[in-house]
Amino acid sequence: MTEAAVVNARARVRQLTDLTARLTARLVEESKAFEDRRPQDAAATLGETQQLANAYRRESAQVKADPSVLAAAPAADRMALVKATQAFEAVLSGHARAVEAARIVSEGLVKTIVAEVASQRGSPSAYGASGQANASDGRAVAFNRTA
């Protein structure tokens, strides 16, 4: 292996390790915001998280397509990347649970509000005994089951 190949591989591994660590730290912060019941804090940094996640996805795909680009890197640098990736995967799993819990809570609140509004309106009937349309509540509520 040439010296240039080693330098390039080391730089690439360190770049991936840094990117992985930054994304992991961002997900830890977001998970903490969900645990603290402050999802708006996570939403405020969503753009940065998405940029990091997209960069991570691109870099991971490139390495997966050609793993030899990292082969010349020193073993210690590659092990640091492996450890950073393991930490990322553990945090990602917890983050996914936190996001899912927040989604379930939000959907439950919306369903409760929709049920309350529907119960206060009473049951609709299109026509009265005289054949005339009954006056109805002019308020409309739309409920979409997707989040």
Side-chain angles (χ1 to χ4, degrees):
M1 283 182 255
T2 67
E3 182 66 26
V6 172
V7 169
N8 286 340
R10 173 179 249 170
R12 186 80 185 266
V13 167
R14 287 183 175 179
Q15 175 191 15
L16 281 169
T17 302
D18 179 60
L19 176 62
T20 304
R22 287 179 21 227
L23 183 56
T24 301
R26 171 67 43 218
L27 293 181
V28 166
E29 289 176 26
E30 287 184 4
S31 294
K32 176 133 177 51
F34 285 119
E35 289 170 11
D36 294 343
R37 292 174 176 76
R38 297 192 49 80
Q40 66 275 15
D41 293 350
T45 60
L46 188 59
E48 180 184 346
T49 303
Q50 287 176 334
Q51 287 176 345
L52 287 171
N54 286 335
Y56 181 83
R57 182 189 48 77
R58 280 191 309 273
E59 294 294 326
S60 296
Q62 288 175 358
V63 169
K64 186 176 181 181
D66 185 13
S68 66
V69 298
L70 304 181
D77 290 338
R78 287 182 292 163
M79 280 309 300
L81 177 59
V82 168
K83 288 180 182 179
T85 302
Q86 289 171 340
F88 168 70
E89 289 174 354
V91 168
L92 184 62
S93 175
H95 184 269
R97 285 190 304 273
V99 168
E100 179 65 10
R103 183 190 65 79
I104 290 169
V105 168
S106 295
E107 285 181 358
L109 288 172
V110 169
K111 287 178 182 178
T112 301
I113 291 168
V114 166
E116 181 63 25
V117 168
S119 71
Q120 289 183 8
R121 285 188 175 178
S123 55
S125 61
Y127 296 97
S130 66
Q132 298 290 322
N134 289 332
S136 64
D137 186 349
R139 297 173 291 178
V141 173
F143 177 63
N144 185 347
R145 292 192 185 274
T146 62

